Amino acid sequence: MSNTEEYVASVLKTIKRRDPNQSEFHQAVEEVFESVVPVLEENPTYEEHAILERISEPERIIQFRVPWYDDAGKLHVQRGWRVQFNSAIGPYKGGLRFHRTVTESIIKFLGFEQVFKNSLTGLPMGGGKGGSDFDPKGKSNADVMRFCQAFMSELGRHIGQFTDVPAGDIGVGGREIGFMVGQYRRMTNFHGTGVLTGKGIGFGGSLVRPEATGYGTVYFMQAVLKAKGERFKNKTVAISGSGNVAQFAVQKLNQLRAKVVTLSDSSGYIYDSEGIDNEKLDFVFHLKNNRRGRIKEYADKYGVEYHASSRPWEKKVDVALPCATQNELNGSEAQMLVDNGVIAVGEGANMPSTPDAIDIFLKAGVGFGPAKAVNAGGVATSGLEMSQNSLRYSWSFAETDQRLKDIMSNVFSAVADAAKKYGKEGNYVVGANIAGFIKVADAMIAQGQYA
Ligand code: NDP
């Protein structure tokens, strides 16, 4: 082990000792730390300034009680968090997740990843993340509204357009953001235009924000395919999830004449060998965003395969885009995809591939796009929403989409160049971690020991 590797190992050991039960957070930190070893070796300043110790410790974690009444008048108590991870390059920025699986470890891993992702976008945004173990599934609209109001009653005092600007994530879409904007306004008598992103178009939202993560995922993967001399046209694609990211990835892929054959939710996946065309996609939009039903209904309606309690990675496809949740693609599933001839895998979700799955893809020469880079289009367009709010102005769909395309193209170049510079050409995992890290680390050093 080199001296630098020993330093990295000792910082990791401390992190694990301090929070032994935060396995998701350890997984995210370990990947970044491994990637930046050559950067630390080249530049001892980072170790002298204890950058790894500082960058892996959130500036602030706020945990709070969220009591709310359901329709039947029963009082529930949920737990809420906001992890304000790093503000060296801009106000904290990152989504809110409402899901029964949310823990402090999940919010910390997401906040940590967000720091580097936001740095990659080239926009002045720090990293944060928040959420609650509230489960919106099966809840009435009024239940969700009362919960969002209760959540914002506490969160509201910690955020602001120059402090911390939350957005959506799993379980938090346009409906929930609307309820939270309303509550923020009621609490502060301040039109919180710049305080949350993902708002409705009529009250400060940006065109393309709903589409941005799914579209951006496809734009990034177009660049990955191009580097291999390939393109999406006529390619077969497996997608997991059926929420915001998955839906708009399908829409963009249909425009590019690829054939998407799978979608899933936490109950199982559908396989449609004919492809999910725009008409069927409209059914999915309505099913998931209005009726809030299960993906199995797609199989019932169109008479296609449904696999309960399984994931779509067993199918033969050219490209796989995991767009549901963390650790949803493991080593044996990665091997199945490789054996079936997959040429590219892009992480629309955050940390969907386990570390052994990533190793398998990289060793097999699969074009692998890591989440930090691939799904950065969502937060980038949130950054564009903030810009428009500051300007008191809004851009057209075409103009905003062009900005998103330019940002994703710049992210790809930054990632590919960093990988090449450090002798790992084509390894976009290392490239994304290094490119994201350097800007934040340099800003922290420039701002002194407390920054
Ligand atoms: P949605 O809530 O809109 O959809 C999430 C989808 O993933 C649903 O189909 C859901 O199924 C499924 N899912 C969630 N948790 C699990 C689980 N534990 N096991 C299996 N399936 C699960 O969320 P988004 O589409 O917004 O987010 C998807 C991913 O993309 C997340 O990792 C998120 O962090 C990431 N992301 C999202 C961005 C955005 O702009 N929305 C930006 C960047 C990243 P079910 O309904 O059954 O739970």
Side-chain angles (χ1 to χ4, degrees):
M1 250 199 206
S2 69
N3 287 347
T4 306
E5 283 166 339
E6 273 175 25
Y7 163 59
V8 169
S10 83
V11 181
L12 262 178
K13 203 169 151 196
T14 306
I15 291 170
K16 289 182 179 173
R17 180 178 52 73
R18 278 185 173 152
D19 295 301
N21 300 321
Q22 299 187 346
S23 60
E24 294 87 0
F25 178 56
H26 302 159
Q27 185 181 333
V29 172
E30 210 156 342
E31 185 199 286
V32 171
F33 280 15
E34 272 175 24
S35 295
V36 299
V37 166
V39 180
L40 303 183
E41 270 165 356
E42 187 184 72
N43 190 345
T45 319
Y46 295 127
E47 188 175 338
E48 284 157 26
H49 285 87
I51 283 296
L52 294 192
E53 292 90 327
R54 288 159 63 194
I55 216 164
S56 56
E57 188 68 18
E59 287 174 23
R60 196 171 300 106
I61 298 180
I62 302 147
Q63 186 195 301
F64 50 97
R65 177 173 69 193
V66 190
W68 63 281
Y69 278 104
D70 69 15
D71 289 342
K74 184 173 182 323
L75 184 60
H76 301 262
V77 179
Q78 241 68 53
R79 196 169 260 191
W81 287 270
R82 186 71 183 166
V83 175
Q84 298 182 330
F85 220 110
N86 193 305
S87 59
I89 64 170
Y92 310 106
K93 179 90 198 86
L96 299 170
R97 176 176 293 192
F98 293 168
H99 199 267
R100 64 190 153 69
T101 55
V102 166
T103 60
E104 186 174 311
S105 173
I106 299 276
I107 301 296
K108 272 178 74 179
F109 112 67
L110 289 164
F112 181 75
E113 294 267 302
Q114 197 81 46
V115 173
F116 306 100
K117 179 186 310 188
N118 293 3
S119 160
L120 282 174
T121 65
L123 300 173
M125 300 183 291
K129 199 85 188 187
S132 172
D133 56 5
F134 172 72
D135 183 3
K137 219 170 288 166
K139 302 283 193 304
S140 72
N141 213 37
D143 276 346
V144 171
M145 181 181 73
R146 281 190 299 272
F147 174 77
C148 289
Q149 291 170 338
F151 185 82
M152 183 50 82
S153 296
E154 174 60 32
L155 181 71
R157 76 187 78 226
H158 305 289
I159 60 177
Q161 62 171 325
F162 299 112
T163 315
D164 184 354
V165 185
D169 190 76
I170 292 178
V172 179
R175 173 181 65 166
E176 291 75 15
I177 294 288
F179 291 148
M180 286 191 269
V181 168
Q183 179 68 2
Y184 186 83
R185 200 159 55 77
R186 187 162 76 164
M187 288 163 65
T188 59
N189 194 25
F190 174 78
H191 198 293
T193 307
V195 171
L196 288 150
T197 59
K199 298 180 290 293
I201 295 302
F203 51 99
S206 172
L207 289 167
V208 193
R209 179 61 189 91
E211 292 85 355
T213 310
Y215 278 22
T217 294
V218 175
Y219 295 152
F220 189 92
M221 292 312 293
Q222 272 184 302
V224 170
L225 285 175
K226 194 172 166 206
K228 294 173 92 56
E230 298 277 2
R231 56 187 183 150
F232 269 119
K233 193 170 176 193
N234 298 329
K235 295 281 184 302
T236 307
V237 184
I239 292 186
S240 64
S242 48
N244 172 266
V245 181
Q247 292 165 12
F248 287 103
V250 178
Q251 187 174 77
K252 182 52 71 179
L253 287 167
N254 284 346
Q255 290 169 13
L256 298 174
R257 313 232 167 151
K259 184 164 81 168
V260 181
V261 291
T262 69
L263 281 175
S264 72
D265 58 26
S266 50
S267 311
Y269 80 93
I270 59 107
Y271 175 72
D272 184 344
S273 59
E274 301 288 307
I276 299 162
D277 62 22
N278 286 337
E279 196 190 313
K280 294 171 184 170
L281 180 60
D282 279 345
F283 173 81
V284 175
F285 277 124
H286 188 68
L287 172 71
K288 286 292 172 182
N289 306 343
N290 301 103
R291 289 201 289 118
R292 299 181 191 270
R294 309 306 297 159
I295 199 67
K296 180 177 183 302
E297 292 178 46
Y298 180 106
D300 298 340
K301 181 167 170 68
Y302 295 108
V304 302
E305 289 175 28
Y306 175 71
H307 301 266
S309 311
S310 314
R311 301 193 285 217
W313 317 127
E314 58 200 13
K315 293 293 180 187
K316 179 173 169 50
V317 289
D318 302 310
V319 179
L321 302 179
C323 295
T325 194
Q326 65 278 348
N327 293 329
E328 53 154 325
L329 201 174
N330 63 30
S332 54
E333 290 164 322
Q335 194 58 55
M336 256 189 297
L337 282 166
V338 168
D339 291 345
N340 283 328
V342 79
I343 56 171
V345 176
E347 296 189 315
N350 282 312
M351 207 168 77
S353 319
T354 58
D356 53 336
I358 296 175
D359 275 351
I360 288 166
F361 291 137
L362 292 177
K363 283 194 183 120
V366 170
F368 180 76
K372 278 182 200 80
V374 173
N375 69 34
V379 72
T381 309
S382 275
L384 300 180
E385 183 172 329
M386 291 165 74
S387 305
Q388 293 168 82
N389 292 160
S390 297
L391 289 168
R392 301 286 191 268
Y393 191 66
S394 55
W395 298 321
S396 69
F397 191 97
E399 186 173 356
T400 317
D401 191 31
Q402 189 55 50
R403 286 177 195 266
L404 170 63
K405 279 184 188 153
D406 292 345
I407 289 170
M408 295 315 293
S409 161
N410 293 340
V411 172
F412 180 78
S413 303
V415 166
D417 291 351
K420 196 168 171 190
K421 180 173 174 202
Y422 287 93
K424 298 265 186 179
E425 190 164 358
N427 184 333
Y428 306 126
V429 176
V430 166
N433 288 333
I434 290 179
F437 172 85
I438 290 176
K439 182 169 152 192
V440 179
D442 288 350
M444 290 170 76
I445 291 172
Q447 292 172 44
Q449 64 182 327
Y450 299 115

